[in-house]
Coordinates of all heavy atoms in Angstrom, one line a residue:
Q58 N -20.6 51.2 -134.5 CA -20.1 51.8 -133.2 C -18.8 51.1 -132.7 O -18.7 49.9 -132.9 CB -21.2 51.7 -132.2 CG -22.4 52.5 -132.4 CD -23.4 52.3 -131.2 OE1 -23.4 51.3 -130.5 NE2 -24.3 53.2 -131.0
S59 N -18.0 51.9 -132.1 CA -16.8 51.4 -131.6 C -17.1 50.7 -130.2 O -18.1 51.0 -129.6 CB -15.7 52.5 -131.4 OG -16.1 53.4 -130.3
F60 N -16.1 50.0 -129.8 CA -16.3 49.3 -128.5 C -16.4 50.3 -127.4 O -17.3 50.2 -126.5 CB -15.0 48.4 -128.2 CG -15.1 47.8 -126.8 CD1 -15.9 46.7 -126.5 CD2 -14.3 48.3 -125.8 CE1 -16.0 46.1 -125.3 CE2 -14.3 47.7 -124.5 CZ -15.2 46.6 -124.3
C61 N -15.7 51.4 -127.4 CA -15.8 52.5 -126.4 C -17.1 53.1 -126.3 O -17.7 53.4 -125.3 CB -14.7 53.5 -126.6 SG -13.0 52.9 -126.3
E62 N -17.7 53.3 -127.5 CA -19.1 53.9 -127.6 C -20.1 53.0 -127.0 O -21.0 53.4 -126.2 CB -19.5 54.3 -129.0 CG -18.7 55.4 -129.6 CD -19.0 55.6 -131.1 OE1 -19.3 54.6 -131.8 OE2 -18.9 56.7 -131.6
K63 N -20.0 51.7 -127.3 CA -20.9 50.7 -126.7 C -20.7 50.6 -125.2 O -21.7 50.5 -124.5 CB -20.7 49.3 -127.4 CG -21.1 49.3 -128.8 CD -20.9 47.9 -129.4 CE -21.2 47.9 -130.9 NZ -20.9 46.6 -131.5
Q64 N -19.5 50.6 -124.8 CA -19.2 50.5 -123.3 C -19.8 51.7 -122.6 O -20.4 51.5 -121.5 CB -17.7 50.4 -123.1 CG -17.3 50.1 -121.7 CD -17.7 48.8 -121.2 OE1 -17.8 47.8 -122.0 NE2 -17.8 48.6 -119.9
T65 N -19.6 52.9 -123.2 CA -20.1 54.1 -122.5 C -21.6 54.0 -122.4 O -22.2 54.3 -121.4 CB -19.7 55.3 -123.3 OG1 -18.3 55.4 -123.3 CG2 -20.2 56.6 -122.6
R66 N -22.3 53.6 -123.5 CA -23.8 53.5 -123.5 C -24.2 52.5 -122.4 O -25.2 52.7 -121.7 CB -24.3 53.1 -124.9 CG -25.8 53.2 -125.0 CD -26.3 53.0 -126.3 NE -26.3 51.5 -126.6 CZ -25.8 50.9 -127.6 NH1 -25.2 51.6 -128.6 NH2 -25.8 49.6 -127.8
M67 N -23.5 51.3 -122.3 CA -23.8 50.3 -121.3 C -23.7 50.9 -119.9 O -24.5 50.6 -119.0 CB -23.0 49.1 -121.5 CG -23.3 48.3 -122.7 SD -22.2 46.9 -123.0 CE -22.0 46.1 -121.5
E68 N -22.7 51.7 -119.7 CA -22.4 52.3 -118.3 C -23.6 53.2 -118.0 O -24.0 53.3 -116.8 CB -21.1 52.9 -118.3 CG -19.9 51.9 -118.3 CD -18.6 52.6 -118.4 OE1 -18.5 53.8 -118.4 OE2 -17.6 51.9 -118.5
V69 N -24.0 54.0 -119.0 CA -25.1 54.9 -118.7 C -26.4 54.2 -118.4 O -27.2 54.6 -117.5 CB -25.3 55.9 -120.0 CG1 -26.6 56.7 -119.8 CG2 -24.1 56.8 -120.2
N70 N -26.6 53.0 -119.0 CA -27.9 52.3 -118.8 C -27.8 51.2 -117.7 O -28.7 50.5 -117.4 CB -28.3 51.6 -120.1 CG -28.6 52.5 -121.2 OD1 -29.2 53.6 -120.9 ND2 -28.3 52.2 -122.4
R71 N -26.7 51.2 -116.9 CA -26.5 50.3 -115.9 C -27.5 50.5 -114.7 O -27.8 51.6 -114.4 CB -25.0 50.4 -115.3 CG -24.7 49.3 -114.4 CD -23.2 49.3 -114.1 NE -22.5 48.8 -115.2 CZ -21.2 49.0 -115.4 NH1 -20.5 49.5 -114.4 NH2 -20.5 48.5 -116.4
I72 N -28.0 49.4 -114.2 CA -29.0 49.5 -113.1 C -28.3 49.1 -111.8 O -27.6 48.1 -111.7 CB -30.2 48.6 -113.4 CG1 -30.9 49.0 -114.6 CG2 -31.1 48.5 -112.2 CD1 -32.0 48.1 -115.1
F73 N -28.4 50.0 -110.8 CA -27.8 49.7 -109.5 C -28.7 49.3 -108.4 O -28.3 48.8 -107.4 CB -27.0 51.0 -109.1 CG -25.9 51.3 -110.0 CD1 -26.0 52.3 -111.0 CD2 -24.7 50.7 -109.9 CE1 -25.0 52.6 -111.9 CE2 -23.6 51.0 -110.8 CZ -23.8 51.9 -111.8
S74 N -30.0 49.6 -108.6 CA -31.0 49.2 -107.6 C -32.4 48.9 -108.2 O -32.6 49.3 -109.3 CB -31.2 50.3 -106.6 OG -31.8 51.4 -107.2
A75 N -33.2 48.1 -107.5 CA -34.5 47.7 -108.0 C -35.4 48.9 -108.3 O -36.2 48.9 -109.2 CB -35.2 46.8 -106.9
E76 N -35.2 50.0 -107.6 CA -36.0 51.2 -107.8 C -35.8 51.8 -109.2 O -36.6 52.5 -109.7 CB -35.7 52.3 -106.7 CG -36.2 51.9 -105.3 CD -35.3 50.9 -104.6 OE1 -34.1 50.9 -104.9 OE2 -35.8 50.2 -103.8
Q77 N -34.7 51.5 -109.8 CA -34.4 52.0 -111.2 C -35.1 51.2 -112.3 O -35.2 51.7 -113.4 CB -32.9 52.0 -111.5 CG -32.1 53.0 -110.6 CD -30.6 52.8 -111.0 OE1 -30.0 51.9 -110.5 NE2 -30.1 53.7 -111.8
I78 N -35.7 50.1 -111.9 CA -36.3 49.2 -112.9 C -37.8 49.6 -113.1 O -38.5 49.6 -112.1 CB -36.2 47.8 -112.5 CG1 -34.7 47.4 -112.4 CG2 -36.9 46.9 -113.5 CD1 -34.5 46.0 -111.8
E79 N -38.2 49.9 -114.3 CA -39.6 50.2 -114.6 C -40.2 48.9 -115.3 O -39.7 48.6 -116.3 CB -39.8 51.4 -115.5 CG -39.6 52.7 -114.8 CD -39.9 53.9 -115.6 OE1 -40.9 53.8 -116.4 OE2 -39.1 54.9 -115.6
V80 N -41.2 48.3 -114.7 CA -41.8 47.1 -115.3 C -43.1 47.5 -116.0 O -43.9 48.2 -115.4 CB -42.1 46.1 -114.2 CG1 -42.8 44.9 -114.7 CG2 -40.8 45.7 -113.5
H81 N -43.2 47.1 -117.2 CA -44.4 47.4 -118.0 C -45.6 46.8 -117.2 O -45.5 45.7 -116.7 CB -44.3 46.8 -119.4 CG -45.4 47.2 -120.3 ND1 -46.6 46.7 -120.3 CD2 -45.3 48.1 -121.4 CE1 -47.4 47.3 -121.2 NE2 -46.6 48.1 -121.9
P82 N -46.7 47.5 -117.1 CA -47.8 47.0 -116.3 C -48.4 45.7 -116.8 O -49.0 45.0 -116.0 CB -48.9 48.2 -116.4 CG -48.4 49.1 -117.5 CD -46.9 48.8 -117.7
E83 N -48.3 45.4 -118.1 CA -48.8 44.1 -118.6 C -47.9 42.9 -118.3 O -48.3 41.8 -118.5 CB -49.1 44.2 -120.0 CG -50.3 45.2 -120.3 CD -50.5 45.3 -121.8 OE1 -50.2 44.4 -122.6 OE2 -51.0 46.3 -122.2
L84 N -46.6 43.2 -118.0 CA -45.6 42.1 -117.9 C -45.9 41.0 -116.9 O -45.8 39.9 -117.2 CB -44.2 42.7 -117.7 CG -43.1 41.7 -117.7 CD1 -43.0 40.9 -119.0 CD2 -41.7 42.4 -117.4
P85 N -46.2 41.4 -115.6 CA -46.5 40.3 -114.6 C -47.6 39.4 -115.1 O -47.4 38.2 -115.0 CB -46.9 41.1 -113.4 CG -46.2 42.4 -113.5 CD -46.3 42.7 -115.0
G86 N -48.7 39.9 -115.6 CA -49.8 39.0 -116.0 C -49.4 38.2 -117.2 O -49.8 37.0 -117.3
M87 N -48.7 38.8 -118.1 CA -48.2 38.0 -119.3 C -47.3 36.9 -118.9 O -47.5 35.8 -119.4 CB -47.5 39.0 -120.3 CG -47.2 38.5 -121.6 SD -46.3 39.6 -122.6 CE -47.6 40.9 -122.9
L88 N -46.4 37.2 -118.0 CA -45.5 36.1 -117.6 C -46.2 35.0 -116.8 O -45.8 33.8 -116.9 CB -44.3 36.7 -116.8 CG -43.3 37.6 -117.5 CD1 -42.3 38.1 -116.6 CD2 -42.7 36.8 -118.6
K89 N -47.2 35.4 -116.0 CA -48.0 34.4 -115.3 C -48.7 33.5 -116.2 O -48.7 32.2 -116.1 CB -48.9 35.1 -114.4 CG -49.7 34.2 -113.5 CD -50.6 35.0 -112.5 CE -51.4 34.1 -111.6 NZ -52.2 34.8 -110.6
E90 N -49.4 34.0 -117.2 CA -50.1 33.2 -118.2 C -49.1 32.3 -119.0 O -49.4 31.1 -119.2 CB -50.9 34.1 -119.2 CG -52.1 34.7 -118.5 CD -53.1 33.7 -117.8 OE1 -53.4 32.7 -118.5 OE2 -53.4 33.9 -116.7
Y91 N -48.0 32.9 -119.4 CA -47.0 32.1 -120.1 C -46.5 30.9 -119.3 O -46.4 29.8 -119.7 CB -45.8 33.0 -120.6 CG -44.6 32.3 -121.0 CD1 -44.6 31.6 -122.2 CD2 -43.5 32.3 -120.2 CE1 -43.4 30.9 -122.6 CE2 -42.3 31.6 -120.6 CZ -42.3 30.9 -121.8 OH -41.2 30.2 -122.2
T92 N -46.2 31.2 -118.0 CA -45.7 30.2 -117.1 C -46.7 29.1 -116.9 O -46.3 27.9 -116.9 CB -45.3 30.8 -115.7 OG1 -44.3 31.9 -115.9 CG2 -44.8 29.8 -114.8
K93 N -48.0 29.4 -116.8 CA -49.0 28.4 -116.6 C -49.1 27.5 -117.9 O -49.2 26.3 -117.8 CB -50.4 29.1 -116.4 CG -50.6 29.7 -115.1 CD -52.0 30.3 -115.1 CE -52.3 31.0 -113.8 NZ -53.7 31.6 -113.8
A94 N -48.9 28.2 -119.1 CA -49.0 27.4 -120.3 C -47.8 26.4 -120.4 O -48.0 25.3 -120.8 CB -49.0 28.3 -121.5
V95 N -46.6 26.9 -120.0 CA -45.4 26.0 -120.0 C -45.6 24.8 -119.0 O -45.3 23.7 -119.4 CB -44.2 26.8 -119.6 CG1 -43.0 25.9 -119.4 CG2 -43.8 27.8 -120.7
I96 N -46.1 25.1 -117.9 CA -46.3 24.0 -116.9 C -47.4 23.1 -117.4 O -47.2 21.8 -117.3 CB -46.7 24.6 -115.5 CG1 -45.5 25.4 -114.9 CG2 -47.2 23.5 -114.6 CD1 -45.8 26.2 -113.7
R97 N -48.5 23.6 -118.0 CA -49.6 22.8 -118.4 C -49.1 21.9 -119.6 O -49.4 20.7 -119.6 CB -50.7 23.7 -118.9 CG -52.0 23.0 -119.2 CD -53.2 24.0 -119.4 NE -52.8 25.2 -120.1 CZ -52.8 26.5 -119.5 NH1 -53.1 26.6 -118.3 NH2 -52.5 27.5 -120.2
E98 N -48.4 22.4 -120.6 CA -48.0 21.7 -121.8 C -46.7 20.9 -121.6 O -46.5 19.9 -122.3 CB -47.8 22.7 -122.9 CG -49.0 23.5 -123.3 CD -50.1 22.6 -123.9 OE1 -49.8 21.6 -124.6 OE2 -51.3 22.9 -123.6
N99 N -45.8 21.3 -120.7 CA -44.5 20.6 -120.5 C -43.8 20.3 -121.8 O -43.6 19.1 -122.1 CB -44.8 19.4 -119.6 CG -43.5 18.8 -119.1 OD1 -42.5 19.5 -119.0 ND2 -43.4 17.5 -118.9
P100 N -43.5 21.4 -122.6 CA -43.0 21.1 -123.9 C -41.6 20.5 -123.9 O -40.8 20.8 -123.0 CB -42.9 22.5 -124.5 CG -42.8 23.4 -123.4 CD -43.6 22.8 -122.3
K101 N -41.2 19.7 -124.9 CA -39.9 19.2 -125.0 C -38.9 20.3 -125.5 O -37.8 20.3 -125.0 CB -39.9 18.0 -126.1 CG -40.6 16.8 -125.6 CD -40.6 15.7 -126.7 CE -41.4 14.5 -126.2 NZ -41.5 13.5 -127.3
D102 N -39.4 21.1 -126.4 CA -38.5 22.2 -126.9 C -39.1 23.5 -126.4 O -40.0 24.1 -127.0 CB -38.5 22.2 -128.4 CG -37.5 23.2 -129.0 OD1 -37.2 24.2 -128.4 OD2 -37.1 22.9 -130.1
L103 N -38.6 24.0 -125.3 CA -39.1 25.2 -124.6 C -39.0 26.5 -125.5 O -39.9 27.3 -125.6 CB -38.4 25.5 -123.3 CG -38.9 26.7 -122.5 CD1 -40.4 26.6 -122.2 CD2 -38.1 26.9 -121.2
L104 N -37.9 26.6 -126.3 CA -37.7 27.8 -127.1 C -38.8 27.7 -128.3 O -39.4 28.8 -128.6 CB -36.3 27.9 -127.7 CG -35.3 28.3 -126.7 CD1 -33.9 28.2 -127.3 CD2 -35.5 29.6 -126.1
A105 N -39.0 26.6 -128.9 CA -39.9 26.5 -130.0 C -41.3 26.8 -129.4 O -42.1 27.5 -130.1 CB -39.8 25.2 -130.7
F106 N -41.7 26.2 -128.3 CA -43.0 26.4 -127.7 C -43.2 27.9 -127.4 O -44.2 28.4 -127.7 CB -43.1 25.6 -126.4 CG -44.3 25.9 -125.6 CD1 -45.5 25.2 -125.9 CD2 -44.3 26.8 -124.6 CE1 -46.7 25.5 -125.2 CE2 -45.5 27.1 -123.9 CZ -46.7 26.4 -124.2
S107 N -42.1 28.5 -126.8 CA -42.2 29.9 -126.5 C -42.4 30.8 -127.7 O -43.3 31.7 -127.7 CB -41.0 30.3 -125.7 OG -40.8 29.6 -124.6
A108 N -41.7 30.5 -128.8 CA -41.8 31.3 -130.0 C -43.3 31.1 -130.5 O -43.9 32.1 -130.9 CB -40.8 30.8 -131.0
E109 N -43.8 29.9 -130.5 CA -45.1 29.7 -131.0 C -46.2 30.3 -130.1 O -47.1 30.9 -130.6 CB -45.4 28.2 -131.2 CG -46.8 27.8 -131.7 CD -47.1 28.3 -133.1 OE1 -46.1 28.8 -133.8 OE2 -48.2 28.3 -133.5
Y110 N -46.0 30.2 -128.8 CA -46.9 30.8 -127.9 C -47.0 32.3 -128.1 O -48.1 32.8 -128.2 CB -46.4 30.5 -126.4 CG -47.3 31.1 -125.4 CD1 -48.4 30.5 -124.9 CD2 -46.9 32.4 -124.8 CE1 -49.2 31.1 -123.9 CE2 -47.7 33.0 -123.8 CZ -48.8 32.3 -123.4 OH -49.6 32.9 -122.4
F111 N -45.9 33.0 -128.2 CA -45.9 34.4 -128.3 C -46.3 34.9 -129.8 O -46.9 35.9 -130.0 CB -44.6 35.1 -127.9 CG -44.5 35.1 -126.4 CD1 -43.6 34.2 -125.8 CD2 -45.3 35.9 -125.6 CE1 -43.4 34.2 -124.4 CE2 -45.2 35.9 -124.2 CZ -44.3 35.0 -123.6
R112 N -46.0 34.0 -130.8 CA -46.5 34.3 -132.1 C -48.0 34.4 -132.2 O -48.6 35.3 -132.7 CB -46.0 33.3 -133.1 CG -46.4 33.5 -134.6 CD -46.1 32.4 -135.5 NE -47.0 31.2 -135.2 CZ -48.2 31.1 -135.7 NH1 -48.8 32.1 -136.4 NH2 -48.9 30.0 -135.4
K113 N -48.6 33.4 -131.5 CA -50.1 33.3 -131.4 C -50.6 34.4 -130.6 O -51.6 35.1 -131.0 CB -50.5 31.9 -130.9 CG -50.3 30.8 -131.9 CD -50.5 29.4 -131.4 CE -51.8 29.2 -130.7 NZ -51.9 27.7 -130.2
K114 N -50.0 34.8 -129.5 CA -50.5 35.8 -128.6 C -50.5 37.2 -129.4 O -51.3 38.0 -129.1 CB -49.6 36.0 -127.4 CG -49.9 35.0 -126.3 CD -51.2 35.3 -125.7 CE -51.5 34.5 -124.4 NZ -52.8 34.7 -123.9
A115 N -49.5 37.4 -130.2 CA -49.3 38.6 -131.0 C -50.1 38.6 -132.2 O -50.1 39.6 -133.0 CB -47.8 38.8 -131.3
D116 N -50.9 37.5 -132.5 CA -51.7 37.4 -133.7 C -50.9 37.6 -135.0 O -51.3 38.2 -135.9 CB -52.9 38.4 -133.7 CG -53.9 38.1 -132.7 OD1 -54.2 36.9 -132.4 OD2 -54.5 39.1 -132.1
I117 N -49.7 37.0 -135.0 CA -48.9 37.0 -136.1 C -49.2 35.8 -137.0 O -49.1 34.6 -136.5 CB -47.4 36.9 -135.8 CG1 -47.0 38.2 -134.9 CG2 -46.5 36.8 -137.0 CD1 -45.7 38.2 -134.4
P118 N -49.7 36.0 -138.2 CA -50.2 34.8 -139.0 C -48.9 34.0 -139.5 O -47.8 34.5 -139.5 CB -50.9 35.5 -140.2 CG -50.3 36.9 -140.3 CD -49.9 37.2 -138.9
G119 N -49.2 32.8 -139.9 CA -48.1 32.0 -140.4 C -48.2 30.6 -139.9 O -49.0 30.2 -139.1
E120 N -47.3 29.8 -140.4 CA -47.1 28.4 -140.1 C -46.6 28.3 -138.6 O -45.9 29.2 -138.2 CB -46.1 27.7 -141.0 CG -46.7 27.6 -142.4 CD -47.8 26.6 -142.5 OE1 -47.7 25.5 -142.0 OE2 -48.8 27.0 -143.2
P121 N -47.0 27.2 -137.9 CA -46.4 27.0 -136.6 C -44.9 27.0 -136.6 O -44.3 26.6 -137.6 CB -47.0 25.6 -136.2 CG -48.2 25.5 -137.0 CD -47.9 26.2 -138.3
V122 N -44.3 27.4 -135.5 CA -42.8 27.4 -135.4 C -42.3 26.0 -135.5 O -42.8 25.1 -134.7 CB -42.4 28.1 -134.1 CG1 -40.9 28.0 -133.9 CG2 -42.9 29.6 -134.1
P123 N -41.3 25.7 -136.3 CA -40.8 24.3 -136.4 C -40.3 23.9 -135.0 O -39.6 24.6 -134.3 CB -39.6 24.5 -137.3 CG -39.9 25.6 -138.2 CD -40.7 26.6 -137.3
G124 N -40.7 22.7 -134.6 CA -40.3 22.1 -133.3 C -41.3 22.4 -132.2 O -41.2 21.8 -131.1
S125 N -42.2 23.3 -132.5 CA -43.3 23.5 -131.4 C -44.2 22.4 -131.5 O -44.4 21.6 -132.5 CB -44.0 24.8 -131.7 OG -44.8 24.8 -132.9
Q126 N -45.0 22.2 -130.4 CA -46.0 21.1 -130.4 C -47.0 21.4 -131.4 O -47.6 20.4 -132.0 CB -46.6 21.0 -129.0 CG -45.6 20.5 -128.0 CD -46.1 20.5 -126.6 OE1 -46.8 21.4 -126.2 NE2 -45.7 19.5 -125.8
E127 N -47.3 22.6 -131.8 CA -48.3 22.9 -132.8 C -47.9 22.3 -134.1 O -48.6 21.8 -134.9 CB -48.5 24.4 -133.0 CG -49.1 25.1 -131.8 CD -50.6 24.9 -131.8 OE1 -51.3 24.8 -132.8 OE2 -51.2 24.8 -130.6
S128 N -46.6 22.5 -134.5 CA -46.1 22.0 -135.7 C -46.0 20.4 -135.7 O -46.2 19.8 -136.7 CB -44.7 22.5 -136.1 OG -43.7 22.0 -135.2
N129 N -45.9 19.8 -134.6 CA -45.8 18.4 -134.4 C -47.2 17.8 -134.5 O -47.4 16.6 -134.8 CB -45.2 18.0 -133.1 CG -43.7 18.3 -133.0 OD1 -43.1 18.5 -134.0 ND2 -43.3 18.5 -131.8
N130 N -48.3 18.6 -134.3 CA -49.6 18.1 -134.3 C -50.4 18.4 -135.6 O -51.6 18.1 -135.7 CB -50.4 18.7 -133.1 CG -49.9 18.3 -131.8 OD1 -49.3 17.3 -131.7 ND2 -50.1 19.2 -130.8
K131 N -49.6 18.8 -136.6 CA -50.3 19.1 -137.9 C -50.7 17.8 -138.6 O -50.0 16.8 -138.5 CB -49.3 19.8 -138.9 CG -49.1 21.3 -138.5 CD -48.0 22.0 -139.3 CE -48.2 21.9 -140.8 NZ -47.3 22.7 -141.5
P132 N -51.9 17.8 -139.2 CA -52.4 16.6 -139.8 C -51.4 16.2 -141.0 O -50.8 17.0 -141.6 CB -53.8 16.9 -140.4 CG -54.1 18.2 -139.7 CD -52.9 18.8 -139.2
E133 N -51.4 14.9 -141.3 CA -50.6 14.4 -142.4 C -51.0 15.0 -143.7 O -52.2 15.2 -143.9 CB -50.7 12.8 -142.5 CG -50.1 12.1 -141.4 CD -48.6 12.2 -141.4 OE1 -48.0 12.1 -142.5 OE2 -48.0 12.3 -140.3
G134 N -50.0 15.4 -144.5 CA -50.3 16.0 -145.8 C -50.5 17.5 -145.8 O -50.6 18.1 -146.8
S135 N -50.6 18.1 -144.6 CA -50.8 19.6 -144.6 C -49.4 20.2 -144.5 O -48.5 19.6 -143.9 CB -51.7 20.0 -143.4 OG -51.1 19.7 -142.2
S136 N -49.3 21.4 -145.1 CA -48.0 22.1 -145.0 C -48.2 23.5 -144.8 O -49.2 24.1 -144.7 CB -47.2 21.8 -146.2 OG -47.9 22.0 -147.4

C-alpha cells in the first residue's frame, strides 16, 4: 500500500470522541486480573512477564517466554 492509501485508511478510522469507542465486554475484567498479577508479582521484565501471562491465559503450549519469571524458575537441567 502507498502512503496515501494508509493515510486515508487512518483518517477513516480516526476516533474523535469516547462514544465512538467500542470496548469488548471481556476487556475490563481481563485488564483487572492482569493488573493484579503484575502488582502481585512485581516482575523485573514487564514485557516478558506479560507475554508469558497471556500465553498461559490463551492456553498456548510451549516453553516459558525467555526473561519471564517462569523461565527463571525452571529447575536445573530442564529445557
Side-chain angles (χ1 to χ4, degrees):
Q58 290 181 338
S59 71
F60 175 76
C61 290
E62 290 171 332
K63 289 179 184 176
Q64 185 69 23
T65 301
R66 191 176 75 232
M67 287 173 48
E68 288 173 5
V69 169
N70 295 327
R71 191 172 286 168
I72 295 174
F73 295 99
S74 68
E76 290 78 26
Q77 290 178 283
I78 301 171
E79 285 187 42
V80 176
H81 191 284
E83 294 178 23
L84 183 60
M87 188 181 295
L88 289 177
K89 184 177 182 178
E90 291 301 314
Y91 165 72
T92 302
K93 286 180 183 180
V95 169
I96 292 168
R97 189 172 36 249
E98 299 293 327
N99 193 24
K101 291 179 183 175
D102 186 336
L103 182 59
L104 288 178
F106 174 85
S107 301
E109 180 63 13
Y110 176 86
F111 287 109
R112 182 191 69 79
K113 288 168 53 177
K114 280 289 190 188
D116 289 326
I117 299 172
E120 292 292 314
V122 174
S125 69
Q126 290 175 323
E127 292 283 328
S128 68
N129 296 337
N130 295 334
K131 285 172 56 174
E133 289 293 320
S135 66
S136 45

